[in-house]
Amino acid sequence: MSRVYYKGAMGALVVFDIANRSTLGGASEWKQDLDSKRCLDNGRPIPAVLLANKCDMTGRDGDLVSSLDSFCRDNSFVGWFETSAKDNINIDEAGALLVKQMMLCDTESTSEEHHGDRIKVSQAPRESQSQSWCCWRPRL
């Protein structure tokens, strides 16, 4: 996939079909591609959550489910969920985990020293910097 596809990404959901074991290999390839083309400013990979979709269907592979913890460790996923997009199972929980991990990464990056065009929020503006408002205010 093109690097532009991942531009600005701060997190990712990688989905595979839990009823089709071969799709887990595709999830691994997506994660490797993501990690090779997008990382955080500190060089670490962006947080990614693995979604084992179609858990509402029968015929799930129990051995596959039991191997997902080690799969996530080996492929640097922050976690995984059995999900059903059809029945809205664990979708909110997966999104909440991803957002939490993204916020943790953002908190870590703002606590580091400034680099290039980043400035620590706690720094006072220099005299040469102009002061501006972030919001438009009507004249009364």
Side-chain angles (χ1 to χ4, degrees):
M1 187 65 61
S2 171
R3 187 175 305 274
V4 174
Y5 184 77
Y6 302 115
K7 185 176 182 178
M10 298 302 293
L13 297 170
V14 178
V15 183
F16 79 99
D17 180 350
I18 198 168
N20 183 351
R21 179 182 278 273
S22 66
T23 62
L24 186 59
S28 177
E29 290 174 18
W30 273 100
K31 182 64 165 80
Q32 289 171 9
D33 189 53
L34 173 67
D35 290 346
S36 72
K37 294 179 178 158
R38 180 71 179 117
C39 62
L40 299 171
D41 291 340
N42 62 12
R44 294 193 318 213
I46 64 171
V49 175
L50 180 67
L51 302 183
N53 197 38
K54 298 186 181 179
C55 71
D56 57 299
M57 296 181 67
T58 58
R60 290 184 11 221
D61 185 343
D63 291 335
L64 175 63
V65 172
S66 64
S67 70
L68 289 178
D69 285 331
S70 63
F71 179 85
C72 286
R73 253 189 323 277
D74 296 344
N75 290 278
S76 302
F77 284 97
V78 296
W80 68 274
F81 288 87
E82 288 188 62
T83 61
S84 170
K86 177 183 170 189
D87 293 337
N88 194 24
I89 298 171
N90 284 334
I91 303 300
D92 291 337
E93 293 82 355
L97 174 65
L98 181 59
V99 169
K100 179 180 177 183
Q101 293 298 315
M102 291 166 54
M103 292 176 69
L104 287 172
C105 290
D106 188 49
T107 302
E108 290 171 5
S109 70
T110 57
S111 66
E112 297 171 357
E113 292 297 316
H114 69 281
H115 295 84
D117 61 346
R118 290 189 314 177
I119 301 173
K120 288 175 68 174
V121 175
S122 61
Q123 284 182 319
R126 294 185 203 126
E127 290 179 25
S128 62
Q129 292 176 324
S130 63
Q131 192 172 17
S132 63
W133 296 97
C134 66
C135 303
W136 176 77
R137 294 181 182 209
R139 292 182 185 219
L140 299 176

